[in-house]
Amino acid sequence: MSQETVECGHAKCVCRIMAQVDENAFCSDYCRDSEESDEEEETCACGHPPCDVP
Protein backbone atom coordinates (compact mmCIF):
# COMPACT_ATOMS: atom_id res chain seq x y z
CA MET A 1 0.00 0.00 0.00
CA SER A 2 1.26 3.44 -0.83
CA GLN A 3 1.37 6.42 1.45
CA GLU A 4 0.56 9.95 0.41
CA THR A 5 0.10 13.28 2.11
CA VAL A 6 -3.60 13.41 2.95
CA GLU A 7 -5.83 15.72 4.94
CA CYS A 8 -6.58 14.83 8.53
CA GLY A 9 -9.84 12.86 8.66
CA HIS A 10 -11.37 15.37 11.08
CA ALA A 11 -13.34 17.77 8.91
CA LYS A 12 -12.48 20.85 10.99
CA CYS A 13 -8.72 20.18 11.00
CA VAL A 14 -6.37 21.65 8.39
CA CYS A 15 -3.40 19.37 9.06
CA ARG A 16 -2.00 17.14 6.32
CA ILE A 17 -0.19 13.94 7.22
CA MET A 18 1.47 10.94 5.61
CA ALA A 19 -1.00 8.06 5.68
CA GLN A 20 -2.39 5.13 3.78
CA VAL A 21 -4.40 6.37 0.82
CA ASP A 22 -7.39 4.12 1.39
CA GLU A 23 -8.28 4.91 5.00
CA ASN A 24 -9.10 7.85 7.24
CA ALA A 25 -6.03 9.23 8.98
CA PHE A 26 -5.92 11.62 11.89
CA CYS A 27 -3.06 13.85 13.04
CA SER A 28 -3.90 13.26 16.70
CA ASP A 29 -6.14 11.36 19.08
CA TYR A 30 -8.03 14.62 19.63
CA CYS A 31 -9.08 14.68 15.98
CA ARG A 32 -10.00 10.99 15.95
CA ASP A 33 -12.13 11.38 19.07
CA SER A 34 -13.75 14.60 17.83
CA GLU A 35 -14.74 13.04 14.52
CA GLU A 36 -16.22 9.97 16.23
CA SER A 37 -18.10 11.91 18.91
CA ASP A 38 -19.64 14.30 16.35
CA GLU A 39 -19.20 17.34 18.61
CA GLU A 40 -20.42 20.66 17.30
CA GLU A 41 -17.37 22.86 16.95
CA GLU A 42 -16.41 25.53 14.45
CA THR A 43 -12.65 25.06 14.49
CA CYS A 44 -10.23 22.31 15.38
CA ALA A 45 -8.49 22.59 18.74
CA CYS A 46 -5.89 19.85 18.31
CA GLY A 47 -3.16 22.43 18.95
CA HIS A 48 -1.14 21.70 15.83
CA PRO A 49 -0.19 24.47 13.46
CA PRO A 50 -1.57 23.83 9.98
CA CYS A 51 0.73 21.19 8.57
CA ASP A 52 0.72 22.68 5.09
CA VAL A 53 2.09 26.03 6.29
CA PRO A 54 5.90 26.25 6.35
Side-chain angles (χ1 to χ4, degrees), residues 11-46:
K12 304 289 193 244
C13 185
V14 295
C15 286
R16 296 180 67 84
I17 47 178
M18 288 297 294
Q20 298 293 337
V21 176
D22 60 345
E23 60 187 53
N24 272 349
F26 298 91
C27 69
S28 66
D29 289 340
Y30 174 87
C31 286
R32 179 177 287 107
D33 294 344
S34 293
E35 192 66 21
E36 290 175 357
S37 68
D38 206 27
E39 295 174 10
E40 290 296 323
E41 55 185 21
E42 292 186 19
T43 58
C44 180
C46 71

